[in-house]
PDB file of all heavy atoms in Angstrom:
ATOM      1  N   HIS C   1     -12.619 -52.531 -54.815  1.00 80.00           N
ATOM      2  CA  HIS C   1     -12.057 -51.653 -53.787  1.00 80.00           C
ATOM      3  C   HIS C   1     -10.820 -52.281 -53.114  1.00 80.00           C
ATOM      4  O   HIS C   1      -9.809 -51.615 -52.970  1.00 80.00           O
ATOM      5  CB  HIS C   1     -13.066 -51.355 -52.718  1.00 80.00           C
ATOM      6  CG  HIS C   1     -12.632 -50.431 -51.604  1.00 80.00           C
ATOM      7  ND1 HIS C   1     -12.222 -49.187 -51.837  1.00 80.00           N
ATOM      8  CD2 HIS C   1     -12.400 -50.722 -50.342  1.00 80.00           C
ATOM      9  CE1 HIS C   1     -11.834 -48.622 -50.717  1.00 80.00           C
ATOM     10  NE2 HIS C   1     -11.867 -49.606 -49.719  1.00 80.00           N
ATOM     11  N   GLN C   2     -10.902 -53.587 -52.893  1.00 79.00           N
ATOM     12  CA  GLN C   2      -9.744 -54.294 -52.328  1.00 79.00           C
ATOM     13  C   GLN C   2      -8.595 -54.378 -53.342  1.00 79.00           C
ATOM     14  O   GLN C   2      -7.421 -54.118 -52.935  1.00 79.00           O
ATOM     15  CB  GLN C   2     -10.119 -55.715 -51.855  1.00 79.00           C
ATOM     16  CG  GLN C   2     -11.049 -55.719 -50.672  1.00 79.00           C
ATOM     17  CD  GLN C   2     -11.508 -57.171 -50.387  1.00 79.00           C
ATOM     18  OE1 GLN C   2     -11.476 -58.052 -51.242  1.00 79.00           O
ATOM     19  NE2 GLN C   2     -12.107 -57.386 -49.228  1.00 79.00           N
ATOM     20  N   LEU C   3      -8.920 -54.621 -54.531  1.00 76.00           N
ATOM     21  CA  LEU C   3      -7.863 -54.589 -55.653  1.00 76.00           C
ATOM     22  C   LEU C   3      -7.162 -53.250 -55.805  1.00 76.00           C
ATOM     23  O   LEU C   3      -5.954 -53.140 -55.883  1.00 76.00           O
ATOM     24  CB  LEU C   3      -8.508 -55.088 -56.948  1.00 76.00           C
ATOM     25  CG  LEU C   3      -7.567 -55.221 -58.132  1.00 76.00           C
ATOM     26  CD1 LEU C   3      -6.532 -56.348 -57.843  1.00 76.00           C
ATOM     27  CD2 LEU C   3      -8.309 -55.572 -59.432  1.00 76.00           C
ATOM     28  N   ALA C   4      -7.991 -52.194 -55.752  1.00 77.00           N
ATOM     29  CA  ALA C   4      -7.422 -50.826 -55.900  1.00 77.00           C
ATOM     30  C   ALA C   4      -6.572 -50.506 -54.703  1.00 77.00           C
ATOM     31  O   ALA C   4      -5.490 -49.908 -54.849  1.00 77.00           O
ATOM     32  CB  ALA C   4      -8.582 -49.822 -55.966  1.00 77.00           C
ATOM     33  N   ARG C   5      -6.981 -50.893 -53.498  1.00 77.00           N
ATOM     34  CA  ARG C   5      -6.229 -50.658 -52.315  1.00 77.00           C
ATOM     35  C   ARG C   5      -4.887 -51.397 -52.368  1.00 77.00           C
ATOM     36  O   ARG C   5      -3.838 -50.873 -51.967  1.00 77.00           O
ATOM     37  CB  ARG C   5      -7.030 -51.128 -51.135  1.00 77.00           C
ATOM     38  CG  ARG C   5      -6.586 -50.597 -49.836  1.00 77.00           C
ATOM     39  CD  ARG C   5      -7.358 -51.243 -48.729  1.00 77.00           C
ATOM     40  NE  ARG C   5      -7.801 -50.324 -47.842  1.00 77.00           N
ATOM     41  CZ  ARG C   5      -8.570 -50.583 -46.822  1.00 77.00           C
ATOM     42  NH1 ARG C   5      -9.128 -51.803 -46.761  1.00 77.00           N
ATOM     43  NH2 ARG C   5      -8.886 -49.668 -45.930  1.00 77.00           N
ATOM     44  N   ARG C   6      -4.932 -52.614 -52.819  1.00 75.00           N
ATOM     45  CA  ARG C   6      -3.698 -53.458 -52.953  1.00 75.00           C
ATOM     46  C   ARG C   6      -2.796 -52.869 -54.018  1.00 75.00           C
ATOM     47  O   ARG C   6      -1.523 -52.753 -53.821  1.00 75.00           O
ATOM     48  CB  ARG C   6      -4.106 -54.879 -53.257  1.00 75.00           C
ATOM     49  CG  ARG C   6      -2.904 -55.868 -53.036  1.00 75.00           C
ATOM     50  CD  ARG C   6      -3.291 -57.296 -53.249  1.00 75.00           C
ATOM     51  NE  ARG C   6      -3.420 -57.469 -54.612  1.00 75.00           N
ATOM     52  CZ  ARG C   6      -4.287 -58.413 -55.175  1.00 75.00           C
ATOM     53  NH1 ARG C   6      -4.969 -59.133 -54.421  1.00 75.00           N
ATOM     54  NH2 ARG C   6      -4.439 -58.542 -56.494  1.00 75.00           N
ATOM     55  N   PHE C   7      -3.320 -52.356 -55.080  1.00 69.00           N
ATOM     56  CA  PHE C   7      -2.575 -51.778 -56.179  1.00 69.00           C
ATOM     57  C   PHE C   7      -1.862 -50.511 -55.767  1.00 69.00           C
ATOM     58  O   PHE C   7      -0.698 -50.292 -56.028  1.00 69.00           O
ATOM     59  CB  PHE C   7      -3.438 -51.551 -57.416  1.00 69.00           C
ATOM     60  CG  PHE C   7      -2.721 -50.896 -58.564  1.00 69.00           C
ATOM     61  CD1 PHE C   7      -1.813 -51.674 -59.262  1.00 69.00           C
ATOM     62  CD2 PHE C   7      -2.933 -49.616 -58.941  1.00 69.00           C
ATOM     63  CE1 PHE C   7      -1.130 -51.169 -60.386  1.00 69.00           C
ATOM     64  CE2 PHE C   7      -2.258 -49.071 -60.024  1.00 69.00           C
ATOM     65  CZ  PHE C   7      -1.388 -49.808 -60.735  1.00 69.00           C
ATOM     66  N   THR C   8      -2.613 -49.620 -55.013  1.00 71.00           N
ATOM     67  CA  THR C   8      -2.034 -48.333 -54.544  1.00 71.00           C
ATOM     68  C   THR C   8      -0.973 -48.587 -53.491  1.00 71.00           C
ATOM     69  O   THR C   8      -0.046 -47.802 -53.350  1.00 71.00           O
ATOM     70  CB  THR C   8      -3.033 -47.380 -54.051  1.00 71.00           C
ATOM     71  OG1 THR C   8      -3.767 -47.973 -52.972  1.00 71.00           O
ATOM     72  CG2 THR C   8      -3.969 -46.936 -55.180  1.00 71.00           C
ATOM     73  N   GLY C   9      -1.024 -49.670 -52.739  1.00 67.00           N
ATOM     74  CA  GLY C   9      -0.103 -49.932 -51.644  1.00 67.00           C
ATOM     75  C   GLY C   9       1.150 -50.651 -52.180  1.00 67.00           C
ATOM     76  O   GLY C   9       2.166 -50.792 -51.531  1.00 67.00           O
ATOM     77  N   ASP C  10       1.078 -51.260 -53.339  1.00 66.00           N
ATOM     78  CA  ASP C  10       2.187 -52.009 -53.900  1.00 66.00           C
ATOM     79  C   ASP C  10       3.223 -51.118 -54.516  1.00 66.00           C
ATOM     80  O   ASP C  10       2.979 -50.285 -55.357  1.00 66.00           O
ATOM     81  CB  ASP C  10       1.693 -53.003 -54.989  1.00 66.00           C
ATOM     82  CG  ASP C  10       2.678 -53.994 -55.420  1.00 66.00           C
ATOM     83  OD1 ASP C  10       3.750 -54.010 -54.806  1.00 66.00           O
ATOM     84  OD2 ASP C  10       2.375 -54.773 -56.312  1.00 66.00           O
ATOM     85  N   ARG C  11       4.488 -51.191 -54.053  1.00 70.00           N
ATOM     86  CA  ARG C  11       5.579 -50.364 -54.539  1.00 70.00           C
ATOM     87  C   ARG C  11       6.566 -51.089 -55.466  1.00 70.00           C
ATOM     88  O   ARG C  11       7.531 -50.591 -55.868  1.00 70.00           O
ATOM     89  CB  ARG C  11       6.356 -49.827 -53.289  1.00 70.00           C
ATOM     90  CG  ARG C  11       5.575 -48.905 -52.437  1.00 70.00           C
ATOM     91  CD  ARG C  11       5.376 -47.575 -53.213  1.00 70.00           C
ATOM     92  NE  ARG C  11       4.530 -46.707 -52.498  1.00 70.00           N
ATOM     93  CZ  ARG C  11       3.668 -45.819 -53.069  1.00 70.00           C
ATOM     94  NH1 ARG C  11       3.576 -45.756 -54.282  1.00 70.00           N
ATOM     95  NH2 ARG C  11       2.948 -45.059 -52.308  1.00 70.00           N
ATOM     96  N   GLN C  12       6.296 -52.344 -55.817  1.00 74.00           N
ATOM     97  CA  GLN C  12       7.158 -53.103 -56.654  1.00 74.00           C
ATOM     98  C   GLN C  12       7.082 -52.506 -58.051  1.00 74.00           C
ATOM     99  O   GLN C  12       5.964 -52.215 -58.603  1.00 74.00           O
ATOM    100  CB  GLN C  12       6.766 -54.575 -56.714  1.00 74.00           C
ATOM    101  CG  GLN C  12       7.097 -55.270 -55.499  1.00 74.00           C
ATOM    102  CD  GLN C  12       6.707 -56.786 -55.582  1.00 74.00           C
ATOM    103  OE1 GLN C  12       5.790 -57.127 -56.341  1.00 74.00           O
ATOM    104  NE2 GLN C  12       7.369 -57.634 -54.852  1.00 74.00           N
ATOM    105  N   GLY C  13       8.194 -52.324 -58.738  1.00 75.00           N
ATOM    106  CA  GLY C  13       8.199 -51.786 -60.116  1.00 75.00           C
ATOM    107  C   GLY C  13       8.280 -50.290 -60.205  1.00 75.00           C
ATOM    108  O   GLY C  13       8.294 -49.773 -61.354  1.00 75.00           O
ATOM    109  N   VAL C  14       8.191 -49.609 -59.057  1.00 77.00           N
ATOM    110  CA  VAL C  14       8.234 -48.148 -59.111  1.00 77.00           C
ATOM    111  C   VAL C  14       9.518 -47.634 -59.747  1.00 77.00           C
ATOM    112  O   VAL C  14       9.559 -46.705 -60.540  1.00 77.00           O
ATOM    113  CB  VAL C  14       7.982 -47.487 -57.726  1.00 77.00           C
ATOM    114  CG1 VAL C  14       8.280 -45.969 -57.762  1.00 77.00           C
ATOM    115  CG2 VAL C  14       6.576 -47.785 -57.248  1.00 77.00           C
ATOM    116  N   GLY C  15      10.666 -48.268 -59.305  1.00 82.00           N
ATOM    117  CA  GLY C  15      11.928 -47.834 -59.857  1.00 82.00           C
ATOM    118  C   GLY C  15      12.000 -48.019 -61.380  1.00 82.00           C
ATOM    119  O   GLY C  15      12.606 -47.254 -62.124  1.00 82.00           O
ATOM    120  N   ALA C  16      11.474 -49.125 -61.874  1.00 83.00           N
ATOM    121  CA  ALA C  16      11.459 -49.416 -63.314  1.00 83.00           C
ATOM    122  C   ALA C  16      10.632 -48.378 -64.034  1.00 83.00           C
ATOM    123  O   ALA C  16      11.051 -47.938 -65.122  1.00 83.00           O
ATOM    124  CB  ALA C  16      10.911 -50.813 -63.559  1.00 83.00           C
ATOM    125  N   ILE C  17       9.535 -47.979 -63.496  1.00 84.00           N
ATOM    126  CA  ILE C  17       8.697 -46.926 -64.114  1.00 84.00           C
ATOM    127  C   ILE C  17       9.396 -45.609 -64.155  1.00 84.00           C
ATOM    128  O   ILE C  17       9.427 -44.905 -65.164  1.00 84.00           O
ATOM    129  CB  ILE C  17       7.271 -46.862 -63.512  1.00 84.00           C
ATOM    130  CG1 ILE C  17       6.476 -48.150 -63.694  1.00 84.00           C
ATOM    131  CG2 ILE C  17       6.532 -45.657 -63.952  1.00 84.00           C
ATOM    132  CD1 ILE C  17       5.248 -48.247 -62.907  1.00 84.00           C
ATOM    133  N   GLU C  18      10.020 -45.210 -63.040  1.00 87.00           N
ATOM    134  CA  GLU C  18      10.782 -43.959 -62.987  1.00 87.00           C
ATOM    135  C   GLU C  18      11.926 -44.006 -63.990  1.00 87.00           C
ATOM    136  O   GLU C  18      12.190 -43.020 -64.658  1.00 87.00           O
ATOM    137  CB  GLU C  18      11.289 -43.709 -61.604  1.00 87.00           C
ATOM    138  CG  GLU C  18      10.169 -43.386 -60.563  1.00 87.00           C
ATOM    139  CD  GLU C  18      10.728 -43.313 -59.179  1.00 87.00           C
ATOM    140  OE1 GLU C  18      11.869 -43.747 -58.893  1.00 87.00           O
ATOM    141  OE2 GLU C  18       9.991 -42.862 -58.327  1.00 87.00           O
ATOM    142  N   PHE C  19      12.614 -45.124 -64.059  1.00 89.00           N
ATOM    143  CA  PHE C  19      13.681 -45.297 -65.003  1.00 89.00           C
ATOM    144  C   PHE C  19      13.205 -45.154 -66.452  1.00 89.00           C
ATOM    145  O   PHE C  19      13.813 -44.486 -67.318  1.00 89.00           O
ATOM    146  CB  PHE C  19      14.447 -46.669 -64.842  1.00 89.00           C
ATOM    147  CG  PHE C  19      15.543 -46.739 -65.794  1.00 89.00           C
ATOM    148  CD1 PHE C  19      16.757 -46.122 -65.626  1.00 89.00           C
ATOM    149  CD2 PHE C  19      15.474 -47.663 -66.905  1.00 89.00           C
ATOM    150  CE1 PHE C  19      17.790 -46.266 -66.453  1.00 89.00           C
ATOM    151  CE2 PHE C  19      16.501 -47.854 -67.770  1.00 89.00           C
ATOM    152  CZ  PHE C  19      17.706 -47.109 -67.574  1.00 89.00           C
ATOM    153  N   ALA C  20      12.042 -45.757 -66.758  1.00 90.00           N
ATOM    154  CA  ALA C  20      11.499 -45.676 -68.087  1.00 90.00           C
ATOM    155  C   ALA C  20      11.114 -44.185 -68.464  1.00 90.00           C
ATOM    156  O   ALA C  20      11.225 -43.825 -69.630  1.00 90.00           O
ATOM    157  CB  ALA C  20      10.277 -46.568 -68.207  1.00 90.00           C
ATOM    158  N   ILE C  21      10.739 -43.453 -67.485  1.00 91.00           N
ATOM    159  CA  ILE C  21      10.407 -42.086 -67.661  1.00 91.00           C
ATOM    160  C   ILE C  21      11.626 -41.220 -67.914  1.00 91.00           C
ATOM    161  O   ILE C  21      11.750 -40.372 -68.808  1.00 91.00           O
ATOM    162  CB  ILE C  21       9.583 -41.501 -66.588  1.00 91.00           C
ATOM    163  CG1 ILE C  21       8.165 -42.169 -66.556  1.00 91.00           C
ATOM    164  CG2 ILE C  21       9.397 -39.956 -66.684  1.00 91.00           C
ATOM    165  CD1 ILE C  21       7.362 -41.834 -65.299  1.00 91.00           C
ATOM    166  N   LEU C  22      12.697 -41.425 -67.148  1.00 93.00           N
ATOM    167  CA  LEU C  22      13.860 -40.671 -67.185  1.00 93.00           C
ATOM    168  C   LEU C  22      14.861 -41.082 -68.254  1.00 93.00           C
ATOM    169  O   LEU C  22      15.722 -40.293 -68.698  1.00 93.00           O
ATOM    170  CB  LEU C  22      14.652 -40.662 -65.825  1.00 93.00           C
ATOM    171  CG  LEU C  22      13.870 -39.966 -64.648  1.00 93.00           C
ATOM    172  CD1 LEU C  22      14.647 -40.153 -63.398  1.00 93.00           C
ATOM    173  CD2 LEU C  22      13.705 -38.481 -65.009  1.00 93.00           C
ATOM    174  N   PHE C  23      14.836 -42.297 -68.711  1.00 92.00           N
ATOM    175  CA  PHE C  23      15.846 -42.913 -69.639  1.00 92.00           C
ATOM    176  C   PHE C  23      15.928 -42.019 -70.931  1.00 92.00           C
ATOM    177  O   PHE C  23      17.080 -41.648 -71.329  1.00 92.00           O
ATOM    178  CB  PHE C  23      15.605 -44.330 -69.912  1.00 92.00           C
ATOM    179  CG  PHE C  23      16.551 -44.949 -70.900  1.00 92.00           C
ATOM    180  CD1 PHE C  23      17.845 -45.247 -70.472  1.00 92.00           C
ATOM    181  CD2 PHE C  23      16.229 -45.203 -72.215  1.00 92.00           C
ATOM    182  CE1 PHE C  23      18.786 -45.721 -71.394  1.00 92.00           C
ATOM    183  CE2 PHE C  23      17.175 -45.720 -73.030  1.00 92.00           C
ATOM    184  CZ  PHE C  23      18.399 -46.023 -72.655  1.00 92.00           C
ATOM    185  N   PRO C  24      14.808 -41.687 -71.586  1.00 87.00           N
ATOM    186  CA  PRO C  24      14.940 -40.895 -72.810  1.00 87.00           C
ATOM    187  C   PRO C  24      15.587 -39.515 -72.582  1.00 87.00           C
ATOM    188  O   PRO C  24      16.372 -39.034 -73.396  1.00 87.00           O
ATOM    189  CB  PRO C  24      13.471 -40.690 -73.287  1.00 87.00           C
ATOM    190  CG  PRO C  24      12.750 -41.819 -72.639  1.00 87.00           C
ATOM    191  CD  PRO C  24      13.480 -42.107 -71.355  1.00 87.00           C
TER     192      PRO C  24
END
């Protein structure tokens, strides 16, 4: 539960994921 909470609150790498989706 603590790990899931920390994962959902972490915003690092969101830009990279969005870029990976939009790049193609």
Side-chain angles (χ1 to χ4, degrees):
H1 180 66
Q2 289 172 345
L3 183 63
R5 197 184 224 177
R6 196 174 72 208
F7 180 71
T8 58
D10 189 5
R11 295 288 177 211
Q12 291 180 331
V14 171
I17 292 172
E18 289 172 349
F19 180 75
I21 292 169
L22 291 176
F23 181 73

